[in-house]
Amino acid sequence: MWSLDTPLRAAALALALSGATLALSACTLAPVYGDHAERLTLSYAMPESRAEQILYQDLSLRLGTASDPGAPQLSAPVTESVRTIFKSDSVDPATPRELTLTARVTVTDPASRTSLLTATRKATATYTTNGQALADESARADAVERAAHALAETIRLTLLAGLPVQGR
């Protein structure tokens, strides 16, 4: 407990709060979700797979698409890997698997041909196979879609953190 009187205590508190306010005044906050989320001016590479198609569609929906041919281009080739989560001696034919999508994200300035941002991001999704070809393929396709949506969200946040946003 302070031994100083009340006016001095109030002055010390006001000084501490004004210092914190001054320190935070240089920070800018902007929403990354919702209708007022920040947008980037980007063009997107042509997708080479279903995962890339989902990724580019999600990003263009959330961040916008540039109509300017001189806008930076985002390229994110996606590779896919699958592993069996565990092995069992049981007679159950269901095998849990984990699908990992890895994207090598590059944003390039077309005028100078320099890289503005380079990052590698991953997302995973689990699924189960049971030996029935149609069900196994359907489960894998669903896992690809879920992982691609998660990967798009991760890349979107990476882009917002690493690139200048329109209107700033």
Side-chain angles (χ1 to χ4, degrees):
M1 184 137 185
W2 285 22
S3 63
L4 301 175
D5 61 351
T6 306
L8 206 54
R9 198 175 325 157
L13 181 62
L15 183 63
L17 288 176
S18 67
T21 304
L22 187 60
L24 291 175
S25 67
C27 297
T28 58
L29 299 174
V32 293
Y33 296 103
D35 294 337
H36 301 291
E38 297 204 18
R39 300 180 75 71
L40 296 171
T41 309
L42 295 172
S43 63
Y44 302 93
M46 292 298 295
E48 306 264 331
S49 66
R50 176 67 179 143
E52 288 179 23
Q53 181 183 19
I54 292 169
L55 179 85
Y56 293 144
Q57 284 176 343
D58 276 9
L59 290 173
S60 66
L61 177 68
R62 297 288 201 119
L63 297 175
T65 304
S67 57
D68 178 22
Q73 183 180 40
L74 177 120
S75 172
V78 175
T79 58
E80 178 182 322
S81 64
V82 176
R83 71 179 183 98
T84 302
I85 295 177
F86 64 86
K87 295 187 185 249
S88 171
D89 290 335
S90 76
V91 293
D92 185 8
T95 306
R97 299 189 186 276
E98 181 181 68
L99 175 125
T100 302
L101 295 182
T102 305
R104 175 106 170 116
V105 182
T106 306
V107 179
T108 308
D109 180 14
S112 63
R113 295 189 180 175
T114 59
S115 176
L116 303 174
L117 180 120
T118 302
T120 301
R121 295 293 180 260
K122 293 182 180 189
T124 61
T126 58
Y127 68 102
T128 304
T129 59
N130 61 10
Q132 298 177 1
L134 184 58
D136 291 351
E137 181 54 32
S138 179
R140 190 196 68 74
D142 177 63
V144 166
E145 191 163 324
R146 287 184 287 123
H149 286 297
L151 187 59
E153 184 63 10
T154 301
I155 291 171
R156 182 179 78 87
L157 295 174
T158 300
L159 293 172
L160 287 174
L163 290 176
V165 178
Q166 180 179 1
R168 270 198 194 165

PDB file of all heavy atoms in Angstrom, residues 24-55:
ATOM      1  N   LEU A  24       1.209   3.144 -27.206  1.00  0.00           N
ATOM      2  CA  LEU A  24       0.330   2.388 -28.099  1.00  0.00           C
ATOM      3  C   LEU A  24      -0.230   3.215 -29.244  1.00  0.00           C
ATOM      4  O   LEU A  24      -0.820   2.673 -30.170  1.00  0.00           O
ATOM      5  CB  LEU A  24      -0.823   1.769 -27.299  1.00  0.00           C
ATOM      6  CG  LEU A  24      -0.433   0.656 -26.342  1.00  0.00           C
ATOM      7  CD1 LEU A  24      -1.631   0.216 -25.525  1.00  0.00           C
ATOM      8  CD2 LEU A  24       0.155  -0.515 -27.089  1.00  0.00           C
ATOM      9  N   SER A  25      -0.057   4.530 -29.214  1.00  0.00           N
ATOM     10  CA  SER A  25      -0.635   5.367 -30.267  1.00  0.00           C
ATOM     11  C   SER A  25       0.016   5.117 -31.626  1.00  0.00           C
ATOM     12  O   SER A  25      -0.584   5.384 -32.657  1.00  0.00           O
ATOM     13  CB  SER A  25      -0.534   6.842 -29.892  1.00  0.00           C
ATOM     14  OG  SER A  25       0.825   7.238 -29.866  1.00  0.00           O
ATOM     15  N   ALA A  26       1.224   4.594 -31.647  1.00  0.00           N
ATOM     16  CA  ALA A  26       1.895   4.304 -32.911  1.00  0.00           C
ATOM     17  C   ALA A  26       1.378   3.018 -33.541  1.00  0.00           C
ATOM     18  O   ALA A  26       1.604   2.753 -34.712  1.00  0.00           O
ATOM     19  CB  ALA A  26       3.392   4.208 -32.690  1.00  0.00           C
ATOM     20  N   CYS A  27       0.683   2.195 -32.776  1.00  0.00           N
ATOM     21  CA  CYS A  27       0.164   0.928 -33.295  1.00  0.00           C
ATOM     22  C   CYS A  27      -1.135   1.163 -34.062  1.00  0.00           C
ATOM     23  O   CYS A  27      -1.939   1.997 -33.683  1.00  0.00           O
ATOM     24  CB  CYS A  27      -0.126  -0.045 -32.146  1.00  0.00           C
ATOM     25  SG  CYS A  27       1.341  -0.496 -31.227  1.00  0.00           S
ATOM     26  N   THR A  28      -1.295   0.410 -35.129  1.00  0.00           N
ATOM     27  CA  THR A  28      -2.562   0.466 -35.858  1.00  0.00           C
ATOM     28  C   THR A  28      -3.184  -0.915 -35.846  1.00  0.00           C
ATOM     29  O   THR A  28      -2.497  -1.913 -36.014  1.00  0.00           O
ATOM     30  CB  THR A  28      -2.352   0.911 -37.319  1.00  0.00           C
ATOM     31  OG1 THR A  28      -1.460   0.000 -37.947  1.00  0.00           O
ATOM     32  CG2 THR A  28      -1.795   2.317 -37.396  1.00  0.00           C
ATOM     33  N   LEU A  29      -4.459  -0.950 -35.643  1.00  0.00           N
ATOM     34  CA  LEU A  29      -5.192  -2.200 -35.639  1.00  0.00           C
ATOM     35  C   LEU A  29      -6.205  -2.169 -36.765  1.00  0.00           C
ATOM     36  O   LEU A  29      -6.813  -1.141 -37.030  1.00  0.00           O
ATOM     37  CB  LEU A  29      -5.914  -2.403 -34.298  1.00  0.00           C
ATOM     38  CG  LEU A  29      -5.018  -2.485 -33.067  1.00  0.00           C
ATOM     39  CD1 LEU A  29      -5.869  -2.547 -31.811  1.00  0.00           C
ATOM     40  CD2 LEU A  29      -4.130  -3.709 -33.137  1.00  0.00           C
ATOM     41  N   ALA A  30      -6.367  -3.287 -37.412  1.00  0.00           N
ATOM     42  CA  ALA A  30      -7.343  -3.392 -38.492  1.00  0.00           C
ATOM     43  C   ALA A  30      -7.949  -4.784 -38.445  1.00  0.00           C
ATOM     44  O   ALA A  30      -7.258  -5.748 -38.115  1.00  0.00           O
ATOM     45  CB  ALA A  30      -6.668  -3.156 -39.841  1.00  0.00           C
ATOM     46  N   PRO A  31      -9.221  -4.904 -38.758  1.00  0.00           N
ATOM     47  CA  PRO A  31      -9.846  -6.228 -38.706  1.00  0.00           C
ATOM     48  C   PRO A  31      -9.313  -7.149 -39.799  1.00  0.00           C
ATOM     49  O   PRO A  31      -9.019  -6.704 -40.906  1.00  0.00           O
ATOM     50  CB  PRO A  31     -11.328  -5.925 -38.920  1.00  0.00           C
ATOM     51  CG  PRO A  31     -11.362  -4.612 -39.618  1.00  0.00           C
ATOM     52  CD  PRO A  31     -10.150  -3.865 -39.164  1.00  0.00           C
ATOM     53  N   VAL A  32      -9.179  -8.433 -39.470  1.00  0.00           N
ATOM     54  CA  VAL A  32      -8.773  -9.417 -40.467  1.00  0.00           C
ATOM     55  C   VAL A  32      -9.921 -10.362 -40.786  1.00  0.00           C
ATOM     56  O   VAL A  32      -9.806 -11.207 -41.660  1.00  0.00           O
ATOM     57  CB  VAL A  32      -7.532 -10.222 -40.030  1.00  0.00           C
ATOM     58  CG1 VAL A  32      -6.319  -9.334 -39.957  1.00  0.00           C
ATOM     59  CG2 VAL A  32      -7.757 -10.937 -38.730  1.00  0.00           C
ATOM     60  N   TYR A  33     -11.038 -10.241 -40.074  1.00  0.00           N
ATOM     61  CA  TYR A  33     -12.225 -11.056 -40.311  1.00  0.00           C
ATOM     62  C   TYR A  33     -13.419 -10.134 -40.512  1.00  0.00           C
ATOM     63  O   TYR A  33     -13.437  -9.011 -40.035  1.00  0.00           O
ATOM     64  CB  TYR A  33     -12.507 -11.995 -39.129  1.00  0.00           C
ATOM     65  CG  TYR A  33     -11.432 -13.012 -38.898  1.00  0.00           C
ATOM     66  CD1 TYR A  33     -10.507 -12.869 -37.878  1.00  0.00           C
ATOM     67  CD2 TYR A  33     -11.325 -14.125 -39.721  1.00  0.00           C
ATOM     68  CE1 TYR A  33      -9.511 -13.802 -37.675  1.00  0.00           C
ATOM     69  CE2 TYR A  33     -10.335 -15.066 -39.526  1.00  0.00           C
ATOM     70  CZ  TYR A  33      -9.440 -14.897 -38.505  1.00  0.00           C
ATOM     71  OH  TYR A  33      -8.457 -15.826 -38.316  1.00  0.00           O
ATOM     72  N   GLY A  34     -14.431 -10.605 -41.206  1.00  0.00           N
ATOM     73  CA  GLY A  34     -15.677  -9.869 -41.345  1.00  0.00           C
ATOM     74  C   GLY A  34     -15.734  -9.009 -42.587  1.00  0.00           C
ATOM     75  O   GLY A  34     -14.865  -9.043 -43.457  1.00  0.00           O
ATOM     76  N   ASP A  35     -16.782  -8.188 -42.650  1.00  0.00           N
ATOM     77  CA  ASP A  35     -17.044  -7.356 -43.824  1.00  0.00           C
ATOM     78  C   ASP A  35     -16.023  -6.238 -44.010  1.00  0.00           C
ATOM     79  O   ASP A  35     -15.815  -5.765 -45.111  1.00  0.00           O
ATOM     80  CB  ASP A  35     -18.440  -6.739 -43.734  1.00  0.00           C
ATOM     81  CG  ASP A  35     -19.534  -7.786 -43.813  1.00  0.00           C
ATOM     82  OD1 ASP A  35     -19.265  -8.877 -44.366  1.00  0.00           O
ATOM     83  OD2 ASP A  35     -20.651  -7.528 -43.320  1.00  0.00           O
ATOM     84  N   HIS A  36     -15.398  -5.803 -42.935  1.00  0.00           N
ATOM     85  CA  HIS A  36     -14.462  -4.693 -43.027  1.00  0.00           C
ATOM     86  C   HIS A  36     -13.014  -5.144 -42.973  1.00  0.00           C
ATOM     87  O   HIS A  36     -12.120  -4.372 -42.644  1.00  0.00           O
ATOM     88  CB  HIS A  36     -14.745  -3.690 -41.898  1.00  0.00           C
ATOM     89  CG  HIS A  36     -16.136  -3.155 -41.945  1.00  0.00           C
ATOM     90  ND1 HIS A  36     -16.578  -2.317 -42.940  1.00  0.00           N
ATOM     91  CD2 HIS A  36     -17.208  -3.389 -41.154  1.00  0.00           C
ATOM     92  CE1 HIS A  36     -17.853  -2.034 -42.745  1.00  0.00           C
ATOM     93  NE2 HIS A  36     -18.259  -2.674 -41.663  1.00  0.00           N
ATOM     94  N   ALA A  37     -12.772  -6.403 -43.304  1.00  0.00           N
ATOM     95  CA  ALA A  37     -11.413  -6.937 -43.291  1.00  0.00           C
ATOM     96  C   ALA A  37     -10.574  -6.244 -44.359  1.00  0.00           C
ATOM     97  O   ALA A  37     -11.087  -5.794 -45.381  1.00  0.00           O
ATOM     98  CB  ALA A  37     -11.433  -8.441 -43.542  1.00  0.00           C
ATOM     99  N   GLU A  38      -9.294  -6.184 -44.107  1.00  0.00           N
ATOM    100  CA  GLU A  38      -8.393  -5.514 -45.038  1.00  0.00           C
ATOM    101  C   GLU A  38      -8.228  -6.327 -46.311  1.00  0.00           C
ATOM    102  O   GLU A  38      -8.362  -7.530 -46.319  1.00  0.00           O
ATOM    103  CB  GLU A  38      -7.045  -5.292 -44.367  1.00  0.00           C
ATOM    104  CG  GLU A  38      -7.165  -4.372 -43.177  1.00  0.00           C
ATOM    105  CD  GLU A  38      -5.880  -3.684 -42.856  1.00  0.00           C
ATOM    106  OE1 GLU A  38      -4.984  -3.632 -43.710  1.00  0.00           O
ATOM    107  OE2 GLU A  38      -5.782  -3.180 -41.745  1.00  0.00           O
ATOM    108  N   ARG A  39      -7.939  -5.619 -47.419  1.00  0.00           N
ATOM    109  CA  ARG A  39      -7.827  -6.264 -48.716  1.00  0.00           C
ATOM    110  C   ARG A  39      -6.461  -5.944 -49.315  1.00  0.00           C
ATOM    111  O   ARG A  39      -5.904  -4.898 -49.087  1.00  0.00           O
ATOM    112  CB  ARG A  39      -8.945  -5.787 -49.618  1.00  0.00           C
ATOM    113  CG  ARG A  39     -10.309  -6.126 -49.015  1.00  0.00           C
ATOM    114  CD  ARG A  39     -11.470  -5.683 -49.847  1.00  0.00           C
ATOM    115  NE  ARG A  39     -11.746  -6.453 -51.031  1.00  0.00           N
ATOM    116  CZ  ARG A  39     -12.237  -7.674 -51.061  1.00  0.00           C
ATOM    117  NH1 ARG A  39     -12.481  -8.309 -49.962  1.00  0.00           N
ATOM    118  NH2 ARG A  39     -12.493  -8.271 -52.198  1.00  0.00           N
ATOM    119  N   LEU A  40      -5.975  -6.892 -50.084  1.00  0.00           N
ATOM    120  CA  LEU A  40      -4.710  -6.725 -50.794  1.00  0.00           C
ATOM    121  C   LEU A  40      -5.007  -6.644 -52.288  1.00  0.00           C
ATOM    122  O   LEU A  40      -6.014  -7.159 -52.755  1.00  0.00           O
ATOM    123  CB  LEU A  40      -3.784  -7.913 -50.526  1.00  0.00           C
ATOM    124  CG  LEU A  40      -3.322  -8.095 -49.092  1.00  0.00           C
ATOM    125  CD1 LEU A  40      -2.595  -9.420 -48.944  1.00  0.00           C
ATOM    126  CD2 LEU A  40      -2.413  -6.968 -48.670  1.00  0.00           C
ATOM    127  N   THR A  41      -4.113  -6.032 -53.014  1.00  0.00           N
ATOM    128  CA  THR A  41      -4.248  -5.970 -54.464  1.00  0.00           C
ATOM    129  C   THR A  41      -3.299  -6.992 -55.058  1.00  0.00           C
ATOM    130  O   THR A  41      -2.116  -6.724 -55.222  1.00  0.00           O
ATOM    131  CB  THR A  41      -3.898  -4.547 -54.962  1.00  0.00           C
ATOM    132  OG1 THR A  41      -4.652  -3.607 -54.214  1.00  0.00           O
ATOM    133  CG2 THR A  41      -4.218  -4.385 -56.418  1.00  0.00           C
ATOM    134  N   LEU A  42      -3.826  -8.187 -55.351  1.00  0.00           N
ATOM    135  CA  LEU A  42      -3.008  -9.287 -55.861  1.00  0.00           C
ATOM    136  C   LEU A  42      -3.659  -9.928 -57.075  1.00  0.00           C
ATOM    137  O   LEU A  42      -4.876  -9.946 -57.202  1.00  0.00           O
ATOM    138  CB  LEU A  42      -2.843 -10.380 -54.795  1.00  0.00           C
ATOM    139  CG  LEU A  42      -2.074 -10.051 -53.524  1.00  0.00           C
ATOM    140  CD1 LEU A  42      -2.201 -11.191 -52.534  1.00  0.00           C
ATOM    141  CD2 LEU A  42      -0.625  -9.773 -53.840  1.00  0.00           C
ATOM    142  N   SER A  43      -2.818 -10.471 -57.937  1.00  0.00           N
ATOM    143  CA  SER A  43      -3.299 -11.373 -58.982  1.00  0.00           C
ATOM    144  C   SER A  43      -2.803 -12.764 -58.592  1.00  0.00           C
ATOM    145  O   SER A  43      -1.875 -12.902 -57.799  1.00  0.00           O
ATOM    146  CB  SER A  43      -2.776 -10.959 -60.362  1.00  0.00           C
ATOM    147  OG  SER A  43      -1.372 -11.045 -60.405  1.00  0.00           O
ATOM    148  N   TYR A  44      -3.437 -13.786 -59.133  1.00  0.00           N
ATOM    149  CA  TYR A  44      -3.142 -15.154 -58.708  1.00  0.00           C
ATOM    150  C   TYR A  44      -2.683 -15.996 -59.894  1.00  0.00           C
ATOM    151  O   TYR A  44      -3.160 -15.826 -61.015  1.00  0.00           O
ATOM    152  CB  TYR A  44      -4.375 -15.784 -58.066  1.00  0.00           C
ATOM    153  CG  TYR A  44      -4.868 -14.987 -56.878  1.00  0.00           C
ATOM    154  CD1 TYR A  44      -5.839 -14.012 -57.028  1.00  0.00           C
ATOM    155  CD2 TYR A  44      -4.321 -15.183 -55.626  1.00  0.00           C
ATOM    156  CE1 TYR A  44      -6.273 -13.258 -55.948  1.00  0.00           C
ATOM    157  CE2 TYR A  44      -4.742 -14.443 -54.533  1.00  0.00           C
ATOM    158  CZ  TYR A  44      -5.720 -13.473 -54.702  1.00  0.00           C
ATOM    159  OH  TYR A  44      -6.131 -12.736 -53.627  1.00  0.00           O
ATOM    160  N   ALA A  45      -1.776 -16.925 -59.630  1.00  0.00           N
ATOM    161  CA  ALA A  45      -1.301 -17.844 -60.659  1.00  0.00           C
ATOM    162  C   ALA A  45      -2.424 -18.819 -61.023  1.00  0.00           C
ATOM    163  O   ALA A  45      -3.415 -18.943 -60.304  1.00  0.00           O
ATOM    164  CB  ALA A  45      -0.088 -18.611 -60.141  1.00  0.00           C
ATOM    165  N   MET A  46      -2.261 -19.505 -62.143  1.00  0.00           N
ATOM    166  CA  MET A  46      -3.253 -20.501 -62.558  1.00  0.00           C
ATOM    167  C   MET A  46      -3.102 -21.750 -61.693  1.00  0.00           C
ATOM    168  O   MET A  46      -1.987 -22.230 -61.489  1.00  0.00           O
ATOM    169  CB  MET A  46      -3.067 -20.870 -64.037  1.00  0.00           C
ATOM    170  CG  MET A  46      -3.392 -19.744 -64.994  1.00  0.00           C
ATOM    171  SD  MET A  46      -5.113 -19.204 -64.892  1.00  0.00           S
ATOM    172  CE  MET A  46      -5.948 -20.650 -65.468  1.00  0.00           C
ATOM    173  N   PRO A  47      -4.215 -22.284 -61.189  1.00  0.00           N
ATOM    174  CA  PRO A  47      -4.115 -23.484 -60.347  1.00  0.00           C
ATOM    175  C   PRO A  47      -3.740 -24.716 -61.168  1.00  0.00           C
ATOM    176  O   PRO A  47      -4.156 -24.878 -62.305  1.00  0.00           O
ATOM    177  CB  PRO A  47      -5.519 -23.622 -59.764  1.00  0.00           C
ATOM    178  CG  PRO A  47      -6.409 -22.875 -60.687  1.00  0.00           C
ATOM    179  CD  PRO A  47      -5.588 -21.800 -61.316  1.00  0.00           C
ATOM    180  N   GLU A  48      -2.951 -25.584 -60.562  1.00  0.00           N
ATOM    181  CA  GLU A  48      -2.513 -26.817 -61.209  1.00  0.00           C
ATOM    182  C   GLU A  48      -3.186 -28.049 -60.607  1.00  0.00           C
ATOM    183  O   GLU A  48      -3.005 -29.151 -61.104  1.00  0.00           O
ATOM    184  CB  GLU A  48      -0.994 -26.961 -61.073  1.00  0.00           C
ATOM    185  CG  GLU A  48      -0.206 -25.780 -61.567  1.00  0.00           C
ATOM    186  CD  GLU A  48       0.280 -25.967 -62.970  1.00  0.00           C
ATOM    187  OE1 GLU A  48       0.505 -27.113 -63.380  1.00  0.00           O
ATOM    188  OE2 GLU A  48       0.435 -24.953 -63.661  1.00  0.00           O
ATOM    189  N   SER A  49      -3.902 -27.858 -59.495  1.00  0.00           N
ATOM    190  CA  SER A  49      -4.569 -28.980 -58.825  1.00  0.00           C
ATOM    191  C   SER A  49      -5.837 -28.471 -58.147  1.00  0.00           C
ATOM    192  O   SER A  49      -6.059 -27.268 -58.059  1.00  0.00           O
ATOM    193  CB  SER A  49      -3.637 -29.603 -57.776  1.00  0.00           C
ATOM    194  OG  SER A  49      -3.402 -28.683 -56.726  1.00  0.00           O
ATOM    195  N   ARG A  50      -6.638 -29.399 -57.661  1.00  0.00           N
ATOM    196  CA  ARG A  50      -7.865 -29.028 -56.949  1.00  0.00           C
ATOM    197  C   ARG A  50      -7.530 -28.250 -55.676  1.00  0.00           C
ATOM    198  O   ARG A  50      -8.201 -27.275 -55.346  1.00  0.00           O
ATOM    199  CB  ARG A  50      -8.683 -30.290 -56.621  1.00  0.00           C
ATOM    200  CG  ARG A  50      -9.909 -30.031 -55.807  1.00  0.00           C
ATOM    201  CD  ARG A  50     -10.953 -29.241 -56.564  1.00  0.00           C
ATOM    202  NE  ARG A  50     -12.128 -29.040 -55.733  1.00  0.00           N
ATOM    203  CZ  ARG A  50     -12.854 -27.952 -55.731  1.00  0.00           C
ATOM    204  NH1 ARG A  50     -12.574 -26.964 -56.569  1.00  0.00           N
ATOM    205  NH2 ARG A  50     -13.898 -27.819 -54.939  1.00  0.00           N
ATOM    206  N   ALA A  51      -6.477 -28.650 -54.977  1.00  0.00           N
ATOM    207  CA  ALA A  51      -6.083 -27.947 -53.754  1.00  0.00           C
ATOM    208  C   ALA A  51      -5.690 -26.501 -54.062  1.00  0.00           C
ATOM    209  O   ALA A  51      -6.089 -25.574 -53.337  1.00  0.00           O
ATOM    210  CB  ALA A  51      -4.938 -28.676 -53.065  1.00  0.00           C
ATOM    211  N   GLU A  52      -4.938 -26.277 -55.126  1.00  0.00           N
ATOM    212  CA  GLU A  52      -4.558 -24.920 -55.515  1.00  0.00           C
ATOM    213  C   GLU A  52      -5.775 -24.107 -55.933  1.00  0.00           C
ATOM    214  O   GLU A  52      -5.867 -22.917 -55.640  1.00  0.00           O
ATOM    215  CB  GLU A  52      -3.529 -24.950 -56.637  1.00  0.00           C
ATOM    216  CG  GLU A  52      -2.167 -25.411 -56.193  1.00  0.00           C
ATOM    217  CD  GLU A  52      -1.163 -25.462 -57.330  1.00  0.00           C
ATOM    218  OE1 GLU A  52      -1.338 -24.764 -58.348  1.00  0.00           O
ATOM    219  OE2 GLU A  52      -0.189 -26.222 -57.195  1.00  0.00           O
ATOM    220  N   GLN A  53      -6.714 -24.742 -56.622  1.00  0.00           N
ATOM    221  CA  GLN A  53      -7.931 -24.051 -57.042  1.00  0.00           C
ATOM    222  C   GLN A  53      -8.704 -23.555 -55.816  1.00  0.00           C
ATOM    223  O   GLN A  53      -9.129 -22.397 -55.767  1.00  0.00           O
ATOM    224  CB  GLN A  53      -8.805 -24.986 -57.880  1.00  0.00           C
ATOM    225  CG  GLN A  53     -10.068 -24.331 -58.382  1.00  0.00           C
ATOM    226  CD  GLN A  53     -10.937 -25.315 -59.156  1.00  0.00           C
ATOM    227  OE1 GLN A  53     -10.792 -26.528 -59.042  1.00  0.00           O
ATOM    228  NE2 GLN A  53     -11.851 -24.775 -59.939  1.00  0.00           N
ATOM    229  N   ILE A  54      -8.874 -24.398 -54.820  1.00  0.00           N
ATOM    230  CA  ILE A  54      -9.568 -24.004 -53.593  1.00  0.00           C
ATOM    231  C   ILE A  54      -8.796 -22.881 -52.893  1.00  0.00           C
ATOM    232  O   ILE A  54      -9.382 -21.895 -52.436  1.00  0.00           O
ATOM    233  CB  ILE A  54      -9.736 -25.216 -52.651  1.00  0.00           C
ATOM    234  CG1 ILE A  54     -10.698 -26.232 -53.259  1.00  0.00           C
ATOM    235  CG2 ILE A  54     -10.218 -24.781 -51.273  1.00  0.00           C
ATOM    236  CD1 ILE A  54     -10.723 -27.571 -52.552  1.00  0.00           C
ATOM    237  N   LEU A  55      -7.481 -23.025 -52.834  1.00  0.00           N
ATOM    238  CA  LEU A  55      -6.633 -22.032 -52.185  1.00  0.00           C
ATOM    239  C   LEU A  55      -6.784 -20.664 -52.839  1.00  0.00           C
ATOM    240  O   LEU A  55      -7.051 -19.662 -52.159  1.00  0.00           O
ATOM    241  CB  LEU A  55      -5.176 -22.505 -52.258  1.00  0.00           C
ATOM    242  CG  LEU A  55      -4.141 -21.587 -51.649  1.00  0.00           C
ATOM    243  CD1 LEU A  55      -4.013 -21.848 -50.174  1.00  0.00           C
ATOM    244  CD2 LEU A  55      -2.812 -21.803 -52.334  1.00  0.00           C
TER     245      LEU A  55
END
